[in-house]
PDB file of all heavy atoms in Angstrom:
ATOM      1  N   ILE A   1     -13.053 142.263 239.215  1.00 97.00           N
ATOM      2  CA  ILE A   1     -13.839 142.510 238.065  1.00 97.00           C
ATOM      3  C   ILE A   1     -15.350 142.198 238.392  1.00 97.00           C
ATOM      4  O   ILE A   1     -15.617 141.205 239.004  1.00 97.00           O
ATOM      5  CB  ILE A   1     -13.422 141.672 236.842  1.00 97.00           C
ATOM      6  CG1 ILE A   1     -11.907 141.811 236.626  1.00 97.00           C
ATOM      7  CG2 ILE A   1     -14.074 142.052 235.586  1.00 97.00           C
ATOM      8  CD1 ILE A   1     -11.313 140.801 235.676  1.00 97.00           C
ATOM      9  N   THR A   2     -16.194 143.076 237.936  1.00 97.00           N
ATOM     10  CA  THR A   2     -17.634 142.875 238.192  1.00 97.00           C
ATOM     11  C   THR A   2     -18.409 142.994 236.857  1.00 97.00           C
ATOM     12  O   THR A   2     -18.911 144.024 236.525  1.00 97.00           O
ATOM     13  CB  THR A   2     -18.178 143.867 239.208  1.00 97.00           C
ATOM     14  OG1 THR A   2     -17.874 145.230 238.746  1.00 97.00           O
ATOM     15  CG2 THR A   2     -17.593 143.667 240.556  1.00 97.00           C
ATOM     16  N   PRO A   3     -18.427 141.902 236.096  1.00 97.00           N
ATOM     17  CA  PRO A   3     -19.187 141.952 234.842  1.00 97.00           C
ATOM     18  C   PRO A   3     -20.669 142.117 235.149  1.00 97.00           C
ATOM     19  O   PRO A   3     -21.220 141.612 236.091  1.00 97.00           O
ATOM     20  CB  PRO A   3     -18.957 140.535 234.223  1.00 97.00           C
ATOM     21  CG  PRO A   3     -18.533 139.640 235.385  1.00 97.00           C
ATOM     22  CD  PRO A   3     -17.822 140.587 236.379  1.00 97.00           C
ATOM     23  N   THR A   4     -21.305 142.867 234.224  1.00 98.00           N
ATOM     24  CA  THR A   4     -22.757 143.151 234.421  1.00 98.00           C
ATOM     25  C   THR A   4     -23.474 142.517 233.229  1.00 98.00           C
ATOM     26  O   THR A   4     -22.890 141.981 232.312  1.00 98.00           O
ATOM     27  CB  THR A   4     -22.966 144.701 234.325  1.00 98.00           C
ATOM     28  OG1 THR A   4     -22.809 145.169 232.962  1.00 98.00           O
ATOM     29  CG2 THR A   4     -22.062 145.418 235.288  1.00 98.00           C
ATOM     30  N   PRO A   5     -24.822 142.526 233.235  1.00 98.00           N
ATOM     31  CA  PRO A   5     -25.623 142.054 232.078  1.00 98.00           C
ATOM     32  C   PRO A   5     -25.315 142.814 230.849  1.00 98.00           C
ATOM     33  O   PRO A   5     -25.690 142.366 229.766  1.00 98.00           O
ATOM     34  CB  PRO A   5     -27.112 142.261 232.618  1.00 98.00           C
ATOM     35  CG  PRO A   5     -26.990 142.315 234.069  1.00 98.00           C
ATOM     36  CD  PRO A   5     -25.722 142.973 234.381  1.00 98.00           C
ATOM     37  N   LEU A   6     -24.741 144.003 230.910  1.00 97.00           N
ATOM     38  CA  LEU A   6     -24.617 144.895 229.820  1.00 97.00           C
ATOM     39  C   LEU A   6     -23.262 144.789 229.117  1.00 97.00           C
ATOM     40  O   LEU A   6     -22.928 145.435 228.106  1.00 97.00           O
ATOM     41  CB  LEU A   6     -24.850 146.354 230.204  1.00 97.00           C
ATOM     42  CG  LEU A   6     -26.298 146.519 230.745  1.00 97.00           C
ATOM     43  CD1 LEU A   6     -26.455 147.995 231.225  1.00 97.00           C
ATOM     44  CD2 LEU A   6     -27.354 146.229 229.700  1.00 97.00           C
ATOM     45  N   HIS A   7     -22.298 144.003 229.734  1.00 98.00           N
ATOM     46  CA  HIS A   7     -21.019 143.740 229.072  1.00 98.00           C
ATOM     47  C   HIS A   7     -21.270 142.634 227.989  1.00 98.00           C
ATOM     48  O   HIS A   7     -21.791 141.574 228.315  1.00 98.00           O
ATOM     49  CB  HIS A   7     -19.970 143.259 230.097  1.00 98.00           C
ATOM     50  CG  HIS A   7     -19.454 144.278 230.994  1.00 98.00           C
ATOM     51  ND1 HIS A   7     -20.005 144.615 232.214  1.00 98.00           N
ATOM     52  CD2 HIS A   7     -18.405 145.184 230.835  1.00 98.00           C
ATOM     53  CE1 HIS A   7     -19.371 145.576 232.761  1.00 98.00           C
ATOM     54  NE2 HIS A   7     -18.359 146.013 231.932  1.00 98.00           N
ATOM     55  N   ASP A   8     -20.819 142.901 226.794  1.00 97.00           N
ATOM     56  CA  ASP A   8     -21.015 141.960 225.692  1.00 97.00           C
ATOM     57  C   ASP A   8     -19.707 141.139 225.402  1.00 97.00           C
ATOM     58  O   ASP A   8     -18.696 141.310 226.027  1.00 97.00           O
ATOM     59  CB  ASP A   8     -21.508 142.618 224.464  1.00 97.00           C
ATOM     60  CG  ASP A   8     -20.540 143.662 223.915  1.00 97.00           C
ATOM     61  OD1 ASP A   8     -19.338 143.526 224.099  1.00 97.00           O
ATOM     62  OD2 ASP A   8     -21.058 144.681 223.309  1.00 97.00           O
ATOM     63  N   ASP A   9     -19.882 140.190 224.540  1.00 97.00           N
ATOM     64  CA  ASP A   9     -18.721 139.254 224.216  1.00 97.00           C
ATOM     65  C   ASP A   9     -17.508 139.994 223.669  1.00 97.00           C
ATOM     66  O   ASP A   9     -16.374 139.595 223.958  1.00 97.00           O
ATOM     67  CB  ASP A   9     -19.214 138.173 223.231  1.00 97.00           C
ATOM     68  CG  ASP A   9     -20.120 137.154 223.814  1.00 97.00           C
ATOM     69  OD1 ASP A   9     -20.239 137.082 225.074  1.00 97.00           O
ATOM     70  OD2 ASP A   9     -20.793 136.389 223.120  1.00 97.00           O
ATOM     71  N   LEU A  10     -17.776 141.036 222.870  1.00 98.00           N
ATOM     72  CA  LEU A  10     -16.614 141.793 222.311  1.00 98.00           C
ATOM     73  C   LEU A  10     -15.817 142.460 223.412  1.00 98.00           C
ATOM     74  O   LEU A  10     -14.578 142.524 223.436  1.00 98.00           O
ATOM     75  CB  LEU A  10     -17.082 142.833 221.277  1.00 98.00           C
ATOM     76  CG  LEU A  10     -17.522 142.307 219.959  1.00 98.00           C
ATOM     77  CD1 LEU A  10     -18.094 143.429 219.055  1.00 98.00           C
ATOM     78  CD2 LEU A  10     -16.373 141.622 219.216  1.00 98.00           C
ATOM     79  N   MET A  11     -16.569 142.993 224.406  1.00 98.00           N
ATOM     80  CA  MET A  11     -15.898 143.629 225.562  1.00 98.00           C
ATOM     81  C   MET A  11     -15.106 142.615 226.337  1.00 98.00           C
ATOM     82  O   MET A  11     -13.997 142.894 226.795  1.00 98.00           O
ATOM     83  CB  MET A  11     -16.989 144.289 226.447  1.00 98.00           C
ATOM     84  CG  MET A  11     -17.648 145.501 225.905  1.00 98.00           C
ATOM     85  SD  MET A  11     -18.944 146.062 226.953  1.00 98.00           S
ATOM     86  CE  MET A  11     -19.575 147.508 226.021  1.00 98.00           C
ATOM     87  N   MET A  12     -15.708 141.436 226.534  1.00 98.00           N
ATOM     88  CA  MET A  12     -14.994 140.348 227.254  1.00 98.00           C
ATOM     89  C   MET A  12     -13.741 139.950 226.581  1.00 98.00           C
ATOM     90  O   MET A  12     -12.705 139.769 227.211  1.00 98.00           O
ATOM     91  CB  MET A  12     -15.931 139.211 227.446  1.00 98.00           C
ATOM     92  CG  MET A  12     -17.046 139.348 228.446  1.00 98.00           C
ATOM     93  SD  MET A  12     -17.785 137.791 228.873  1.00 98.00           S
ATOM     94  CE  MET A  12     -19.302 138.413 229.651  1.00 98.00           C
ATOM     95  N   ASP A  13     -13.800 139.786 225.247  1.00 98.00           N
ATOM     96  CA  ASP A  13     -12.675 139.299 224.547  1.00 98.00           C
ATOM     97  C   ASP A  13     -11.531 140.320 224.591  1.00 98.00           C
ATOM     98  O   ASP A  13     -10.358 140.019 224.748  1.00 98.00           O
ATOM     99  CB  ASP A  13     -12.993 139.056 223.042  1.00 98.00           C
ATOM    100  CG  ASP A  13     -13.870 137.809 222.933  1.00 98.00           C
ATOM    101  OD1 ASP A  13     -13.890 136.936 223.870  1.00 98.00           O
ATOM    102  OD2 ASP A  13     -14.546 137.626 221.894  1.00 98.00           O
ATOM    103  N   HIS A  14     -11.899 141.595 224.522  1.00 98.00           N
ATOM    104  CA  HIS A  14     -10.896 142.671 224.598  1.00 98.00           C
ATOM    105  C   HIS A  14     -10.315 142.692 225.999  1.00 98.00           C
ATOM    106  O   HIS A  14      -9.069 142.875 226.131  1.00 98.00           O
ATOM    107  CB  HIS A  14     -11.599 144.025 224.313  1.00 98.00           C
ATOM    108  CG  HIS A  14     -10.649 145.198 224.524  1.00 98.00           C
ATOM    109  ND1 HIS A  14      -9.472 145.368 223.782  1.00 98.00           N
ATOM    110  CD2 HIS A  14     -10.725 146.264 225.329  1.00 98.00           C
ATOM    111  CE1 HIS A  14      -8.865 146.440 224.147  1.00 98.00           C
ATOM    112  NE2 HIS A  14      -9.590 147.037 225.069  1.00 98.00           N
ATOM    113  N   LEU A  15     -11.070 142.461 227.047  1.00 98.00           N
ATOM    114  CA  LEU A  15     -10.577 142.449 228.406  1.00 98.00           C
ATOM    115  C   LEU A  15      -9.550 141.305 228.557  1.00 98.00           C
ATOM    116  O   LEU A  15      -8.466 141.524 229.104  1.00 98.00           O
ATOM    117  CB  LEU A  15     -11.743 142.273 229.399  1.00 98.00           C
ATOM    118  CG  LEU A  15     -11.254 142.092 230.838  1.00 98.00           C
ATOM    119  CD1 LEU A  15     -11.030 143.416 231.470  1.00 98.00           C
ATOM    120  CD2 LEU A  15     -12.354 141.359 231.656  1.00 98.00           C
ATOM    121  N   VAL A  16      -9.896 140.119 228.091  1.00 98.00           N
ATOM    122  CA  VAL A  16      -9.064 138.955 228.242  1.00 98.00           C
ATOM    123  C   VAL A  16      -7.749 139.139 227.502  1.00 98.00           C
ATOM    124  O   VAL A  16      -6.660 138.879 228.020  1.00 98.00           O
ATOM    125  CB  VAL A  16      -9.733 137.703 227.768  1.00 98.00           C
ATOM    126  CG1 VAL A  16      -8.848 136.485 227.773  1.00 98.00           C
ATOM    127  CG2 VAL A  16     -10.932 137.396 228.691  1.00 98.00           C
ATOM    128  N   ASP A  17      -7.842 139.607 226.246  1.00 97.00           N
ATOM    129  CA  ASP A  17      -6.623 139.858 225.487  1.00 97.00           C
ATOM    130  C   ASP A  17      -5.672 140.893 226.108  1.00 97.00           C
ATOM    131  O   ASP A  17      -4.438 140.789 226.118  1.00 97.00           O
ATOM    132  CB  ASP A  17      -6.973 140.311 224.048  1.00 97.00           C
ATOM    133  CG  ASP A  17      -7.600 139.133 223.252  1.00 97.00           C
ATOM    134  OD1 ASP A  17      -7.450 137.988 223.657  1.00 97.00           O
ATOM    135  OD2 ASP A  17      -8.270 139.439 222.225  1.00 97.00           O
ATOM    136  N   SER A  18      -6.327 141.926 226.697  1.00 98.00           N
ATOM    137  CA  SER A  18      -5.564 143.016 227.290  1.00 98.00           C
ATOM    138  C   SER A  18      -4.865 142.514 228.592  1.00 98.00           C
ATOM    139  O   SER A  18      -3.766 142.822 228.833  1.00 98.00           O
ATOM    140  CB  SER A  18      -6.465 144.180 227.627  1.00 98.00           C
ATOM    141  OG  SER A  18      -7.129 144.694 226.492  1.00 98.00           O
ATOM    142  N   PHE A  19      -5.587 141.705 229.370  1.00 97.00           N
ATOM    143  CA  PHE A  19      -5.048 141.175 230.534  1.00 97.00           C
ATOM    144  C   PHE A  19      -3.790 140.280 230.197  1.00 97.00           C
ATOM    145  O   PHE A  19      -2.752 140.308 230.889  1.00 97.00           O
ATOM    146  CB  PHE A  19      -6.035 140.271 231.353  1.00 97.00           C
ATOM    147  CG  PHE A  19      -6.806 141.027 232.417  1.00 97.00           C
ATOM    148  CD1 PHE A  19      -7.449 142.236 232.177  1.00 97.00           C
ATOM    149  CD2 PHE A  19      -6.798 140.593 233.726  1.00 97.00           C
ATOM    150  CE1 PHE A  19      -8.085 142.924 233.092  1.00 97.00           C
ATOM    151  CE2 PHE A  19      -7.422 141.224 234.705  1.00 97.00           C
ATOM    152  CZ  PHE A  19      -8.111 142.425 234.438  1.00 97.00           C
ATOM    153  N   LYS A  20      -3.906 139.445 229.180  1.00 97.00           N
ATOM    154  CA  LYS A  20      -2.799 138.623 228.758  1.00 97.00           C
ATOM    155  C   LYS A  20      -1.579 139.426 228.433  1.00 97.00           C
ATOM    156  O   LYS A  20      -0.439 139.099 228.845  1.00 97.00           O
ATOM    157  CB  LYS A  20      -3.188 137.795 227.512  1.00 97.00           C
ATOM    158  CG  LYS A  20      -4.168 136.613 227.857  1.00 97.00           C
ATOM    159  CD  LYS A  20      -4.764 136.014 226.649  1.00 97.00           C
ATOM    160  CE  LYS A  20      -3.712 135.441 225.674  1.00 97.00           C
ATOM    161  NZ  LYS A  20      -4.380 134.853 224.492  1.00 97.00           N
ATOM    162  N   GLU A  21      -1.778 140.526 227.675  1.00 97.00           N
ATOM    163  CA  GLU A  21      -0.648 141.356 227.317  1.00 97.00           C
ATOM    164  C   GLU A  21      -0.067 142.065 228.520  1.00 97.00           C
ATOM    165  O   GLU A  21       1.205 142.018 228.666  1.00 97.00           O
ATOM    166  CB  GLU A  21      -1.195 142.500 226.334  1.00 97.00           C
ATOM    167  CG  GLU A  21      -0.195 143.560 226.063  1.00 97.00           C
ATOM    168  CD  GLU A  21       1.055 143.041 225.351  1.00 97.00           C
ATOM    169  OE1 GLU A  21       1.009 142.032 224.617  1.00 97.00           O
ATOM    170  OE2 GLU A  21       2.153 143.675 225.516  1.00 97.00           O
ATOM    171  N   VAL A  22      -0.835 142.580 229.402  1.00 97.00           N
ATOM    172  CA  VAL A  22      -0.314 143.219 230.599  1.00 97.00           C
ATOM    173  C   VAL A  22       0.394 142.263 231.517  1.00 97.00           C
ATOM    174  O   VAL A  22       1.421 142.569 232.073  1.00 97.00           O
ATOM    175  CB  VAL A  22      -1.429 144.063 231.350  1.00 97.00           C
ATOM    176  CG1 VAL A  22      -0.952 144.583 232.667  1.00 97.00           C
ATOM    177  CG2 VAL A  22      -1.968 145.128 230.443  1.00 97.00           C
ATOM    178  N   TRP A  23      -0.208 141.089 231.739  1.00 96.00           N
ATOM    179  CA  TRP A  23       0.364 140.078 232.553  1.00 96.00           C
ATOM    180  C   TRP A  23       1.798 139.632 232.068  1.00 96.00           C
ATOM    181  O   TRP A  23       2.715 139.476 232.899  1.00 96.00           O
ATOM    182  CB  TRP A  23      -0.554 138.873 232.662  1.00 96.00           C
ATOM    183  CG  TRP A  23      -1.318 138.748 233.918  1.00 96.00           C
ATOM    184  CD1 TRP A  23      -1.327 137.670 234.790  1.00 96.00           C
ATOM    185  CD2 TRP A  23      -2.173 139.714 234.565  1.00 96.00           C
ATOM    186  NE1 TRP A  23      -2.185 137.890 235.873  1.00 96.00           N
ATOM    187  CE2 TRP A  23      -2.674 139.210 235.702  1.00 96.00           C
ATOM    188  CE3 TRP A  23      -2.512 141.026 234.225  1.00 96.00           C
ATOM    189  CZ2 TRP A  23      -3.525 139.923 236.527  1.00 96.00           C
ATOM    190  CZ3 TRP A  23      -3.380 141.747 235.041  1.00 96.00           C
ATOM    191  CH2 TRP A  23      -3.887 141.130 236.181  1.00 96.00           C
ATOM    192  N   LYS A  24       1.921 139.474 230.729  1.00 96.00           N
ATOM    193  CA  LYS A  24       3.181 139.152 230.136  1.00 96.00           C
ATOM    194  C   LYS A  24       4.221 140.301 230.350  1.00 96.00           C
ATOM    195  O   LYS A  24       5.358 140.020 230.709  1.00 96.00           O
ATOM    196  CB  LYS A  24       3.084 138.806 228.672  1.00 96.00           C
ATOM    197  CG  LYS A  24       2.386 137.513 228.423  1.00 96.00           C
ATOM    198  CD  LYS A  24       2.208 137.252 226.933  1.00 96.00           C
ATOM    199  CE  LYS A  24       1.472 135.933 226.631  1.00 96.00           C
ATOM    200  NZ  LYS A  24       1.218 135.764 225.217  1.00 96.00           N
ATOM    201  N   ARG A  25       3.768 141.502 230.138  1.00 96.00           N
ATOM    202  CA  ARG A  25       4.671 142.655 230.215  1.00 96.00           C
ATOM    203  C   ARG A  25       5.223 142.847 231.662  1.00 96.00           C
ATOM    204  O   ARG A  25       6.375 143.148 231.825  1.00 96.00           O
ATOM    205  CB  ARG A  25       3.940 143.897 229.758  1.00 96.00           C
ATOM    206  CG  ARG A  25       4.844 145.143 229.639  1.00 96.00           C
ATOM    207  CD  ARG A  25       4.082 146.447 229.355  1.00 96.00           C
ATOM    208  NE  ARG A  25       3.150 146.347 228.229  1.00 96.00           N
ATOM    209  CZ  ARG A  25       2.463 147.372 227.833  1.00 96.00           C
ATOM    210  NH1 ARG A  25       2.541 148.520 228.460  1.00 96.00           N
ATOM    211  NH2 ARG A  25       1.574 147.295 226.848  1.00 96.00           N
TER     212      ARG A  25
END
């Protein structure tokens, strides 16, 4: 993953929640 200055907090939270779901699945 390469976060940039243009990724905001909402994008980060969506990424983390999505990773959690996929990791569990």
Side-chain angles (χ1 to χ4, degrees):
I1 309 170
T2 53
T4 73
L6 302 175
H7 286 93
D8 59 32
D9 287 346
L10 286 176
M11 291 176 180
M12 286 194 197
D13 289 341
H14 176 60
L15 176 82
V16 173
D17 290 342
S18 302
F19 266 56
K20 286 167 60 179
E21 171 62 30
V22 174
W23 256 234
K24 288 178 181 177
R25 189 188 307 182

